Amino acid sequence: MSAQTAARATAYPAPSRPRPTTATPAPAPRLRVVRAPEHARTRVPFILACMSVLAGALLSALLLNTSMAASAYAKYDLSNELGQLNQDQQDLTAQLDAKASPTQLAAAAAALGMVPTNGTGWLRLSDGSVQGVPEPAGAGG
């Protein structure tokens, strides 16, 4: 067997292709041309926005902390002032109680020229009568 006959014997017949008919439309091609992607957007504005939000948050936290510290000092000062005023009130109340004692009142009345009375009397306003035994105060006590 020669090389030509061996090649002819093993050759396969060409597959038959169906012929397109003119009545059916041609199918749309599966592949299509795609444009190149447009220029990618930069991320700089987003990063700047994030950084500004972070800076704003830190600044507001700092301002809040500072104002709270100032309020704490003001509260401490007012608390000290309130304690001092309470102490002054207690001192004045003690002085008032000391001056309202009977011995202090008698001494203050004597200093003003008042004399103690010998008897006590009451006046009834409905009928104008005097009750009790009132006596006039002596000039020298």
Side-chain angles (χ1 to χ4, degrees), residues 6-17:
R8 284 185 196 155
T10 58
Y12 297 107
S16 65
R17 292 185 179 156

Side-chain angles (χ1 to χ4, degrees), residues 117-123 130-137:
T117 182
N118 295 331
T120 306
W122 293 274
L123 182 63
V130 178
Q131 296 180 345
V133 184
E135 297 178 14

Side-chain angles (χ1 to χ4, degrees), residues 6 8 10 23 25 35 38 43 46 49-50 52 56 60 81 84 86-88 109-110 113 116 118-120 124-125:
R8 284 185 196 155
T10 58
R35 291 186 294 168
E38 293 185 19
R43 293 185 179 164
F46 176 71
C50 288
S52 65
S60 64
E81 185 179 350
Q84 184 64 37
N86 282 336
Q87 184 66 38
D88 292 345
N118 295 331
T120 306
R124 182 183 289 178
L125 294 177

Side-chain angles (χ1 to χ4, degrees), residues 45-115:
F46 176 71
I47 292 173
L48 288 177
C50 288
M51 290 176 64
S52 65
V53 166
L54 180 64
L58 290 175
L59 182 64
S60 64
L62 178 67
L63 290 175
L64 181 64
N65 191 12
T66 303
S67 68
M68 287 177 59
S71 297
Y73 282 119
K75 179 184 173 191
Y76 177 75
D77 291 340
L78 290 174
S79 175
N80 284 344
E81 185 179 350
L82 181 64
Q84 184 64 37
L85 290 174
N86 282 336
Q87 184 66 38
D88 292 345
Q89 179 191 10
Q90 289 176 358
D91 291 343
L92 291 173
T93 303
Q95 287 176 5
L96 181 65
D97 288 342
K99 288 187 178 189
S101 69
T103 57
Q104 288 290 329
L105 285 176
L112 290 174
M114 296 181 172
V115 293

